[in-house]
Amino acid sequence: MNGYTQDKEDIARRLKRVEGQVRGIGDMVSSDKYCIDVLTQISAATKALESVALLLLSDHLNHCVVEAIEGGGPEVSEKIQEANDAIARLVRS
Amino acid sequence: MNGYTQDKEDIARRLKRVEGQVRGIGDMVSSDKYCIDVLTQISAATKALESVALLLLSDHLNHCVVEAIEGGGPEVSEKIQEANDAIARLVRS
Amino acid sequence: MNGYTQDKEDIARRLKRVEGQVRGIGDMVSSDKYCIDVLTQISAATKALESVALLLLSDHLNHCVVEAIEGGGPEVSEKIQEANDAIARLVRS
Amino acid sequence: MNGYTQDKEDIARRLKRVEGQVRGIGDMVSSDKYCIDVLTQISAATKALESVALLLLSDHLNHCVVEAIEGGGPEVSEKIQEANDAIARLVRS
């Protein structure tokens, strides 16, 4: 189904924290905090999201892609293509 | 004080939307959605945050930095240094 | 051995072009070209390198990783780990 | 004219080094080096280019933008816009 089962709670916890960071950034803007301080927090939230993405991708390769290849069949090249597209989106975002 | 006054509502609205996106990503993880679909949403949220950061930076240069330079004084090089550090953090995140 | 055999000439040609771009950027600097124009060319060269990296990574997953998994053995998790590390370096560079 | 006069030799030297790195990467590909090793070198070259770009941008803000603002006139907002566009290209590349 998905490859992140063993990291699910960790990922959920990290996303909860990023959600709180982004809400905090919104509060900084509402209370007119200094631009540079807002930018620092945005960079931190972006890095945290990237880090979750890298964990998900690693889980995906280790489980979904490995299982697809072990199972064989036409699904393999589709799975690899999908992973490559996700990597390209990450590298370019 | 800060340089984003004229864009404050737009920025607050965009951050609210990113906060909702990140909460939605957490929900996807809780309901075991497919890794690649979660990754696609993370790339979208990352791009949205980056976009807010670029607007804040543009406002900062257009207002805070311009005013500091027009005002003169030792503050100028500090303001430029600060902006450069923020840009480096963004480029590297 | 490596996974990019079928794209080898294309990759070599693209790298040759990036090498020429970087030499051209050096020439722009030597002849005191305008900062922003130099920066535009650096962004273009960076994107071109990123694009070569994504092709290499795709070839690597499609060949080296697929073959390692099909072959089985302890090498598999090492190969995946290596790929994940390379992806993390790309995302963060 | 341009803002990097005092860093011109340093920038030229760094670009020369990146040019050599990219040529070296081309040689690695010609001699069928392992994908991951090629990717590691591409990440290093990309980081080196980014680093030159951040120095150029810093010089540009410290000199060209500061002088434009001190000089006043309609050129100011154009200069800031140009800098913002260059920053956006860097962040997205």
Side-chain angles (χ1 to χ4, degrees), chain D residues 26-52:
Chain D
D27 293 344
M28 290 176 83
V29 168
S30 300
S31 43
D32 297 302
K33 288 289 180 292
Y34 184 46
C35 325
I36 295 291
D37 297 332
V38 181
L39 282 168
T40 303
Q41 294 309 313
I42 293 183
S43 290
T46 304
K47 266 183 187 300
L49 274 180
E50 241 173 43
S51 200
V52 173

Side-chain angles (χ1 to χ4, degrees), chain C residues 4 19 23 33-34 82, chain D residues 4 19 23 33-34 82:
Chain C
Y4 53 81
E19 190 193 325
R23 183 167 38 246
K33 287 289 180 294
Y34 184 47
E82 222 183 39
Chain D
Y4 53 80
E19 190 192 326
R23 183 166 39 245
K33 288 289 180 292
Y34 184 46
E82 221 182 42

Side-chain angles (χ1 to χ4, degrees), chain A residues 2-4 8 19 22-23 29-30 32-35 39-40 50 53 56 60 79 82 89 92-93, chain B residues 2-4 8 19 23 29-30 32-36 38-40 47 50 53 60 79 82 89 93:
Chain A
N2 70 58
Y4 53 81
K8 189 173 156 172
E19 190 193 325
V22 177
R23 181 166 41 246
V29 168
S30 300
D32 297 302
K33 287 289 180 295
Y34 184 47
C35 326
L39 282 167
T40 302
E50 242 172 44
L56 276 165
H60 181 65
K79 277 271 176 279
E82 222 183 41
R89 277 192 299 270
R92 291 179 173 139
S93 75
Chain B
N2 70 58
Y4 53 81
K8 190 174 157 171
E19 190 192 327
R23 183 167 38 247
V29 168
S30 300
D32 297 302
K33 287 290 181 293
Y34 184 47
C35 325
I36 295 291
V38 181
L39 282 167
T40 302
K47 267 183 187 298
E50 243 174 42
H60 181 64
K79 277 271 176 280
E82 221 183 41
R89 277 192 299 271
S93 74

Side-chain angles (χ1 to χ4, degrees), chain A residues 23-62:
Chain A
R23 181 166 41 246
I25 298 168
D27 293 344
M28 291 177 81
V29 168
S30 300
S31 44
D32 297 302
K33 287 289 180 295
Y34 184 47
C35 326
I36 296 290
D37 296 332
V38 181
L39 282 167
T40 302
Q41 294 310 312
I42 293 183
S43 290
T46 304
K47 266 183 188 298
L49 274 180
E50 242 172 44
S51 199
V52 173
L54 289 171
L55 177 53
L56 276 165
L57 198 58
S58 162
D59 282 343
H60 181 65
L61 293 179
N62 268 302

Side-chain angles (χ1 to χ4, degrees), chain C residues 23-42, chain D residues 1-5 7-8 11-12 15 56-57 59-60 64 79 82:
Chain C
R23 183 167 38 246
I25 298 168
D27 293 344
M28 290 176 81
V29 168
S30 300
S31 43
D32 296 301
K33 287 289 180 294
Y34 184 47
C35 324
I36 296 290
D37 296 332
V38 181
L39 282 168
T40 302
Q41 294 309 311
I42 293 184
Chain D
M1 208 52 198
N2 69 60
Y4 53 80
T5 308
D7 290 321
K8 189 173 157 171
I11 292 170
L15 286 168
L56 277 165
L57 199 58
D59 282 343
H60 181 65
C64 310
K79 278 271 177 278
E82 221 182 42

